[in-house]
Amino acid sequence: MIKAEQLRCIGRYGKPHGVKGEIRLFSDIDFYNDDVEAGQADGSPSRICLVSEMDGIYVPFFFRSCRTNGKSSMLVSLEGMEGVEEVSALAGKEVYVDNKFKVDESITESQVRQVEGVDGIRGFKVIDVEAGYLGLIKDVDDTTINTLLIIEKDGSPEDVSSDNETMLVPAALIKVTRYESREVEVALPEGFLLI
């Protein structure tokens, strides 16, 4: 039986596409890569699966085909899901993969809440791609739809942020999270630090 703690949320299903059982999958994570396409070492198809909650239990769905459809969506066909009626049951559901499955380490606003949670990035250094070091993430405010990083200056000589003790940065501006070095890279709009 698949348990919630074994899974990582990678996105959400959209509406069915066409009449042959394809469904749109929205995900900012690049998880469908050459390893999935190539299959297993013995030549059999890849058993990497997408998992969704159905009637209170987590159910695995294996790829039949996948094609990109824009920057953050793709059209997928799943084994055993042949028509519009069958894939309609997945519309709007969250999509998970096994925690052991390697995915791109970039993190977006939705993954701040869904994948790693507040504790996942608290204490990380924040570095702007242009300005440099900004401070440390003290907390994450996810009480509204616009998730905010609460960044606290730590007195470091490399700190280039404004004179305020703390600053709020939308999590949507996160470009990359580096877990090994505990750093979050953001891309602040021009003039943001002057506010």
Side-chain angles (χ1 to χ4, degrees):
M1 183 162 163
I2 301 171
K3 297 181 180 169
E5 54 271 7
Q6 297 171 305
L7 302 173
R8 174 189 300 218
C9 183
I10 58 154
R12 181 176 297 277
Y13 285 114
K15 295 179 180 178
H17 178 81
V19 295
K20 296 183 179 180
E22 282 186 312
I23 190 165
R24 188 174 309 278
L25 173 84
F26 295 98
S27 179
D28 292 324
I29 298 174
D30 180 19
F31 68 93
Y32 192 86
N33 54 34
D34 294 338
D35 296 336
V36 173
E37 193 67 48
Q40 298 181 42
D42 65 3
S44 62
S46 174
R47 299 316 294 167
I48 303 291
C49 65
L50 301 178
V51 178
S52 289
E53 188 174 356
M54 306 287 286
D55 299 324
I57 61 169
Y58 292 100
V59 179
F61 296 94
F62 297 96
F63 285 105
R64 191 170 69 215
S65 69
C66 180
R67 56 190 173 114
T68 58
N69 186 257
K71 184 178 178 187
S72 62
S73 74
M74 58 192 68
L75 298 173
V76 296
S77 294
L78 304 169
E79 291 179 8
M81 304 293 260
E82 303 299 327
V84 175
E85 290 178 18
E86 291 173 317
V87 295
S88 291
L90 295 172
K93 294 199 177 284
E94 289 186 335
V95 180
Y96 301 90
V97 294
D98 190 303
N99 279 332
K100 296 174 190 166
F101 184 65
K102 185 176 179 174
V103 296
D104 186 354
E105 289 299 320
S106 298
I107 191 167
T108 64
E109 179 180 5
S110 61
Q111 285 97 47
V112 169
R113 290 191 307 270
Q114 296 174 1
V115 179
E116 299 299 333
V118 174
D119 293 328
I121 61 172
R122 188 179 287 142
F124 279 34
K125 293 179 182 179
V126 180
I127 300 167
D128 177 58
V129 293
E130 294 292 324
Y133 181 79
L134 300 176
L136 299 174
I137 298 175
K138 177 181 176 184
D139 207 349
V140 177
D141 179 356
D142 62 354
T143 57
T144 66
I145 196 163
N146 184 21
T147 303
L148 298 170
L149 305 176
I150 301 171
I151 300 171
E152 188 173 67
K153 292 175 70 169
D154 63 355
S156 171
E158 56 186 336
D159 191 341
V160 296
S161 61
S162 64
D163 293 334
N164 299 331
E165 290 295 317
T166 61
M167 68 186 310
L168 302 176
V169 173
L173 300 178
I174 294 174
K175 295 300 175 197
V176 177
T177 300
R178 297 180 188 94
Y179 292 96
E180 300 78 28
S181 58
R182 298 184 50 82
E183 295 176 343
V184 172
E185 185 177 294
V186 296
L188 300 179
E190 188 173 328
F192 188 90
L193 294 175
L194 301 175
I195 299 174

